Amino acid sequence: MAKFYARRRLSILAALTGLIASVGLFNGPTASAALPTPISGATARTYLASLTVKTENRTGYDRDLFPTWITISGTCNTRETILKRDGTNVVTDSACASTSGSWYSPYDGATWTAASDLDIDHLVPLAEAWDSGASAWTTAQRQGFANDVTRPQLIAVTDNVNQSKSDQDPAEWMPSVTSYRCTYVRAWVQVKYYYNLSVDSAEKSALTSYLASC
């Protein structure tokens, strides 16, 4: 009987722990957790050390060489899929367009209730990828990169912040929310490593500096 009550207390404790965790998820900024969790700081430092350091070359770049957005599931394309993933209480119509919801942009800390106020940022920009090795890829490979919903490469953020970032790397631009920078550089290194992309010397120096505190 004592064992029964002990097991019951453990079961109740586990349920309460799960409930508390669920409440925390609903109360926190959804978009911050929506990006697929990047590698740890230690792993990012290891990955960064293995990346080729190379001067970038943008010769021949054209955004159209990276087809976006493609159908991900049903009627939902890549943009719509990320908006649904990164938002709270997102309602979509039959075409998968978001008609209502709330989105927290972790780059600048702003919250929006209209999908039109958000861009889907390629964390490692398409032009940056081209500069770093994607110029040698096939169109199908570039399409896969531009629509990668598995790795921490796509995230819904304030539109003008994304436009301000443009194609800059971490030596040139970082999120204004300093608490998000560790997540940002860990994701950056993970994507570059996965796709076997190079880094330039200034980029590696900046990443090394930011990762030192992750």
Side-chain angles (χ1 to χ4, degrees), residues 46-124:
T46 299
Y47 282 6
L48 178 60
S50 73
L51 295 181
T52 299
V53 179
K54 189 176 179 180
T55 302
E56 296 179 348
N57 184 352
R58 192 159 300 186
T59 303
Y61 171 72
D62 187 324
R63 186 181 175 86
D64 291 341
L65 294 169
F66 293 80
T68 55
W69 302 114
I70 63 171
T71 299
I72 298 297
S73 177
T75 61
C76 301
N77 67 21
T78 312
R79 172 181 166 84
E80 293 156 349
T81 298
I82 298 302
L83 285 172
K84 287 173 66 177
R85 185 199 72 185
D86 288 4
T88 301
N89 299 324
V90 177
V91 176
T92 58
D93 61 21
S94 59
C96 202
S98 298
T99 57
S100 64
S102 176
W103 292 268
Y104 172 81
S105 170
Y107 286 3
D108 58 331
T111 298
W112 304 97
T113 55
S116 58
D117 288 320
L118 297 143
D119 279 354
I120 306 304
D121 179 43
H122 289 94
L123 195 136
V124 174

